[in-house]
Short mmCIF file of all heavy atoms in Angstrom, two decimals:
data_model
loop_
_atom_site.label_atom_id
_atom_site.label_comp_id
_atom_site.label_asym_id
_atom_site.label_seq_id
_atom_site.Cartn_x
_atom_site.Cartn_y
_atom_site.Cartn_z
N ILE A 224 -22.61 -44.32 -15.30
CA ILE A 224 -24.04 -44.15 -15.01
C ILE A 224 -24.67 -43.17 -16.00
O ILE A 224 -25.77 -43.40 -16.50
CB ILE A 224 -24.23 -43.65 -13.56
CG1 ILE A 224 -23.62 -44.66 -12.58
CG2 ILE A 224 -25.70 -43.40 -13.26
CD1 ILE A 224 -23.45 -44.16 -11.17
N ARG A 225 -23.93 -42.11 -16.30
CA ARG A 225 -24.45 -41.11 -17.24
C ARG A 225 -24.74 -41.76 -18.59
O ARG A 225 -25.79 -41.51 -19.20
CB ARG A 225 -23.47 -39.96 -17.40
CG ARG A 225 -23.95 -38.90 -18.41
CD ARG A 225 -22.95 -37.78 -18.62
NE ARG A 225 -22.92 -36.86 -17.50
CZ ARG A 225 -21.83 -36.52 -16.83
NH1 ARG A 225 -20.66 -37.01 -17.16
NH2 ARG A 225 -21.91 -35.68 -15.83
N ALA A 226 -23.81 -42.60 -19.04
CA ALA A 226 -23.97 -43.25 -20.34
C ALA A 226 -25.09 -44.29 -20.28
O ALA A 226 -25.96 -44.33 -21.16
CB ALA A 226 -22.66 -43.90 -20.76
N ALA A 227 -25.09 -45.10 -19.22
CA ALA A 227 -26.08 -46.18 -19.11
C ALA A 227 -27.49 -45.62 -19.03
O ALA A 227 -28.42 -46.16 -19.63
CB ALA A 227 -25.78 -47.03 -17.88
N GLU A 228 -27.65 -44.54 -18.29
CA GLU A 228 -28.98 -43.97 -18.10
C GLU A 228 -29.28 -42.88 -19.13
O GLU A 228 -30.32 -42.23 -19.06
CB GLU A 228 -29.09 -43.37 -16.69
CG GLU A 228 -28.89 -44.39 -15.58
CD GLU A 228 -30.12 -45.28 -15.39
OE1 GLU A 228 -31.24 -44.76 -15.54
OE2 GLU A 228 -29.95 -46.49 -15.12
N ASN A 229 -28.30 -42.64 -20.01
CA ASN A 229 -28.49 -41.69 -21.11
C ASN A 229 -28.93 -40.30 -20.63
O ASN A 229 -29.89 -39.73 -21.13
CB ASN A 229 -29.51 -42.27 -22.11
CG ASN A 229 -29.40 -41.58 -23.47
OD1 ASN A 229 -28.46 -40.83 -23.70
ND2 ASN A 229 -30.35 -41.85 -24.34
N TRP A 230 -28.19 -39.75 -19.68
CA TRP A 230 -28.51 -38.42 -19.15
C TRP A 230 -28.48 -37.34 -20.24
O TRP A 230 -29.22 -36.37 -20.18
CB TRP A 230 -27.51 -38.00 -18.08
CG TRP A 230 -27.62 -38.76 -16.79
CD1 TRP A 230 -28.50 -39.76 -16.50
CD2 TRP A 230 -26.83 -38.58 -15.63
NE1 TRP A 230 -28.30 -40.22 -15.24
CE2 TRP A 230 -27.28 -39.51 -14.67
CE3 TRP A 230 -25.77 -37.73 -15.30
CZ2 TRP A 230 -26.71 -39.60 -13.40
CZ3 TRP A 230 -25.21 -37.81 -14.04
CH2 TRP A 230 -25.67 -38.74 -13.10
N ASP A 231 -27.60 -37.57 -21.21
CA ASP A 231 -27.38 -36.51 -22.19
C ASP A 231 -28.56 -36.29 -23.13
O ASP A 231 -28.58 -35.33 -23.89
CB ASP A 231 -26.12 -36.82 -23.02
CG ASP A 231 -24.87 -36.65 -22.17
OD1 ASP A 231 -24.99 -36.11 -21.05
OD2 ASP A 231 -23.78 -37.06 -22.62
N ARG A 232 -29.57 -37.16 -23.05
CA ARG A 232 -30.74 -36.91 -23.90
C ARG A 232 -31.51 -35.71 -23.39
O ARG A 232 -32.34 -35.14 -24.08
CB ARG A 232 -31.64 -38.15 -23.96
CG ARG A 232 -32.38 -38.45 -22.66
CD ARG A 232 -33.29 -39.67 -22.82
NE ARG A 232 -34.06 -39.92 -21.62
CZ ARG A 232 -33.63 -40.62 -20.57
NH1 ARG A 232 -32.41 -41.15 -20.59
NH2 ARG A 232 -34.39 -40.81 -19.51
N HIS A 233 -31.25 -35.29 -22.15
CA HIS A 233 -31.94 -34.12 -21.58
C HIS A 233 -31.10 -32.87 -21.78
O HIS A 233 -29.91 -32.87 -21.52
CB HIS A 233 -32.18 -34.31 -20.08
CG HIS A 233 -33.06 -35.48 -19.79
ND1 HIS A 233 -34.41 -35.45 -19.98
CD2 HIS A 233 -32.76 -36.72 -19.32
CE1 HIS A 233 -34.93 -36.63 -19.65
NE2 HIS A 233 -33.94 -37.42 -19.24
N GLU A 234 -31.76 -31.83 -22.26
CA GLU A 234 -31.08 -30.57 -22.49
C GLU A 234 -30.90 -29.79 -21.19
O GLU A 234 -29.93 -29.10 -20.99
CB GLU A 234 -31.90 -29.70 -23.48
CG GLU A 234 -31.64 -30.01 -24.93
CD GLU A 234 -30.27 -29.51 -25.38
OE1 GLU A 234 -29.98 -28.32 -25.11
OE2 GLU A 234 -29.52 -30.29 -26.01
N ARG A 235 -31.90 -29.91 -20.29
CA ARG A 235 -31.94 -29.04 -19.12
C ARG A 235 -31.42 -29.70 -17.86
O ARG A 235 -31.63 -30.89 -17.64
CB ARG A 235 -33.39 -28.59 -18.86
CG ARG A 235 -33.91 -27.66 -19.93
CD ARG A 235 -35.43 -27.62 -19.88
NE ARG A 235 -35.95 -26.69 -20.85
CZ ARG A 235 -36.15 -25.40 -20.59
NH1 ARG A 235 -35.91 -24.92 -19.40
NH2 ARG A 235 -36.60 -24.60 -21.51
N VAL A 236 -30.80 -28.86 -17.05
CA VAL A 236 -30.23 -29.33 -15.79
C VAL A 236 -31.29 -30.00 -14.93
O VAL A 236 -31.09 -31.10 -14.42
CB VAL A 236 -29.64 -28.13 -15.00
CG1 VAL A 236 -29.16 -28.60 -13.63
CG2 VAL A 236 -28.50 -27.49 -15.76
N GLU A 237 -32.46 -29.35 -14.82
CA GLU A 237 -33.47 -29.84 -13.87
C GLU A 237 -34.01 -31.21 -14.27
O GLU A 237 -34.37 -32.02 -13.42
CB GLU A 237 -34.61 -28.83 -13.68
CG GLU A 237 -35.43 -28.52 -14.91
CD GLU A 237 -34.88 -27.33 -15.68
OE1 GLU A 237 -33.66 -27.08 -15.62
OE2 GLU A 237 -35.66 -26.64 -16.36
N ASP A 238 -34.03 -31.48 -15.58
CA ASP A 238 -34.50 -32.79 -16.03
C ASP A 238 -33.50 -33.88 -15.65
O ASP A 238 -33.89 -34.97 -15.23
CB ASP A 238 -34.73 -32.78 -17.54
CG ASP A 238 -35.87 -31.83 -17.92
OD1 ASP A 238 -36.74 -31.61 -17.04
OD2 ASP A 238 -35.87 -31.32 -19.05
N VAL A 239 -32.22 -33.56 -15.82
CA VAL A 239 -31.19 -34.53 -15.43
C VAL A 239 -31.24 -34.77 -13.93
O VAL A 239 -31.19 -35.90 -13.46
CB VAL A 239 -29.80 -34.02 -15.85
CG1 VAL A 239 -28.72 -35.00 -15.39
CG2 VAL A 239 -29.73 -33.83 -17.37
#
Side-chain angles (χ1 to χ4, degrees):
Chain A
I224 300 167
R225 178 182 285 126
E228 299 284 323
N229 199 9
W230 290 1
D231 289 349
R232 71 178 183 275
H233 298 284
E234 275 287 310
R235 292 162 177 271
V236 175
E237 62 269 28
D238 295 334
V239 177

